[in-house]
């Protein structure tokens, strides 16, 4: 293990995700285990630029494992996109003696970390924390499992009321440009159709699925729409269906930030714990400019350039079974 690394800075950045606290805890405790000092950088790159840095010890992260959000807070920083902004941030890290970084966040976070590495060669590892599950190089990102479970619970609740009124519901879920939350909450929630950006589905095909005029025997129809849908969001699709037919009684529910809050599932807590330890161990073993990932249950490290230009593909099996089961 590399003893040149003595002080590790950890921060969360971009959209918060349930399980980020579990990851912070794992990083801090792994640092304590390996006798390295650990510092929390508040509000992501914003706090790095402002020098908002606090010392963290094993006891500072007690009782956060089960909490949603992030105790280190998070932000999206425009200034960090500039060389000058990164230089300010680097100076603050140097002043604190921080000689390695662990970032917890999504693609924007990893991009920022990579730019800092290019400019100053500061050893750094990213932990994927985003509900979107949109990063190649890992089967799962922290927060995705919790967010998908929340979406499934919401879909189940909507089904009760949809069924009582024989209604058609469009339910919009988050995911930015990724359809992961949509496809899996749609399968688990028994959606009649799932609209995701990864699949070329036309409005006509979607309309045909509804079976206007009682052509299907369904007494309710739930359509799950990923927010990144290429054929329109839930409101747009609902309006289009309404303008074509008065057969359906249509409602729209946009789940929004509900999906980002609350206590992480066991899966996200364990994933975050494994990734936090792997990030510290990776740094100490000399890994840098990489993201920790889990592939087929094994921890892996992926170089920035190997994964950032790739989409995290949704397997064709999921798409196939979604179609078979919505009949
Ligand atoms: O990346 C996580 C995410 O929740 C996306 O699913 C969503 O598009 C976006 O963040 C929302 O961002 P904000 O919280 O800034 O509105």
């Amino acid at each position: 293990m590399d003893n040149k690394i003595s002080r590790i800075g950890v921060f969360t950045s971009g959209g918060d995700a349930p399980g980020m606290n579990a990851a912070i805890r794992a990083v801090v405790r792994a640092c304590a285990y390996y006798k390295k000092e650990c510092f929390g950088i508040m509000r992501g790159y914003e706090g790095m630029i402002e020098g908002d840095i606090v010392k963290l010890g094993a006891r500072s992260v007690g009782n956060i494992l089960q909490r949603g959000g992030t105790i280190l807070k998070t932000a999206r920083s425009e200034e960090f996109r500039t060389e000058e902004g990164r230089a300010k941030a680097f100076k603050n890290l140097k002043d604190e003696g921080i000689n390695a970084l662990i970032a917890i966040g999504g693609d924007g976070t990893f991009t920022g970390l990579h730019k800092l590495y290019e400019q100053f060669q500061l050893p750094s590892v990213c932990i994927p924390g985003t509900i979107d599950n949109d990063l190649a190089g890992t089967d799962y990102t922290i927060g995705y499992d919790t967010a998908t479970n929340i979406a499934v619970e919401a879909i189940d609740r909507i089904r009760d009321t949809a069924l009582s009124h024989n209604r058609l519901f469009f339910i919009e879920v988050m995911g930015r440009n990724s359809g992961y939350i949509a496809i899996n909450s749609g399968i688990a929630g028994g959606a009649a159709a799932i609209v995701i950006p990864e699949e070329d589905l036309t409005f006509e095909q979607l309309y045909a699925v509804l079976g206007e005029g009682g052509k299907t025997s369904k007494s309710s129809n739930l359509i799950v729409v990923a927010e990144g849908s290429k054929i329109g969001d839930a409101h747009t699709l609902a309006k289009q269906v309404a303008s074509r037919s008065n057969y359906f009684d249509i409602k729209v529910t946009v789940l929004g930030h509900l999906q980002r809050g609350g206590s992480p599932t066991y899966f996200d807590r364990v994933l975050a714990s494994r990734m936090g330890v792997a990030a510290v161990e990776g740094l100490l073993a000399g890994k840098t400019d990489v993201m920790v990932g889990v592939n087929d249950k094994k921890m892996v490290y992926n170089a920035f350039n190997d994964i950032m230009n790739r989409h995290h593909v949704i397997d064709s099996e999921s798409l196939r079974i979604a179609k078979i089961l919505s009949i």
Side-chain angles (χ1 to χ4, degrees), residues 169-175 179 181-183 185-186 191 193-197 206 222-235 237-238 253 259:
F169 265 84
F170 285 86
I171 304 162
E172 187 173 301
V173 298
M174 275 187 168
I181 296 177
I183 190 78
S185 65
I194 305 167
V195 184
I196 56 171
L206 178 67
L222 307 180
I223 313 280
V224 173
V225 183
E227 67 175 348
S229 151
K230 290 189 192 132
I231 56 168
D233 61 17
H235 282 289
L237 292 172
T253 303
Q259 295 155 100

Side-chain angles (χ1 to χ4, degrees), residues 72-128:
L72 295 178
K73 307 221 177 244
T74 184
R76 294 188 168 104
S77 169
E78 278 307 312
E79 197 180 351
F80 197 79
R81 291 176 195 270
T82 66
E83 279 194 13
E84 298 72 35
R86 293 194 291 273
K88 270 195 217 168
F90 183 68
K91 181 175 180 305
N92 290 330
L93 297 175
K94 248 182 106 180
D95 289 350
E96 289 286 355
I98 293 172
N99 45 23
L101 278 182
I102 294 176
I104 306 167
D107 55 355
T109 304
F110 195 16
T111 303
L113 198 66
H114 172 70
K115 294 248 177 250
L116 190 73
Y117 175 72
E118 278 189 329
Q119 208 171 328
F120 299 105
Q121 292 74 53
L122 186 66
S124 52
V125 171
C126 184
I127 294 176

Side-chain angles (χ1 to χ4, degrees), residues 1 32 49 58 97 111 135 146 153 182 212 238 258 260 263 265 272 276 289:
M1 297 257 175
I49 289 171
T111 303
L135 285 155
T146 306
E153 194 193 323
E212 189 189 8
L258 261 182
R260 285 225 312 246
S263 186
T265 56
D289 200 23

Side-chain angles (χ1 to χ4, degrees), residues 301-322:
Y301 300 91
N302 291 286
F304 180 87
N305 291 324
D306 287 346
I307 55 167
M308 286 307 278
N309 297 323
R310 287 195 274 133
H311 190 77
H312 188 193
V313 178
I314 291 182
D315 62 302
S316 53
E317 176 69 359
S318 297
L319 301 174
R320 201 175 69 82
I321 67 164

Side-chain angles (χ1 to χ4, degrees), residues 166 190-193 209-210 215-221 247 325-327:
N166 286 358
V209 169
L210 297 176
K215 281 183 217 131
T216 75
S217 52
K218 291 195 175 181
S219 48
S220 70
N221 273 302
Y247 175 74
L325 298 178
S326 66
I327 200 162

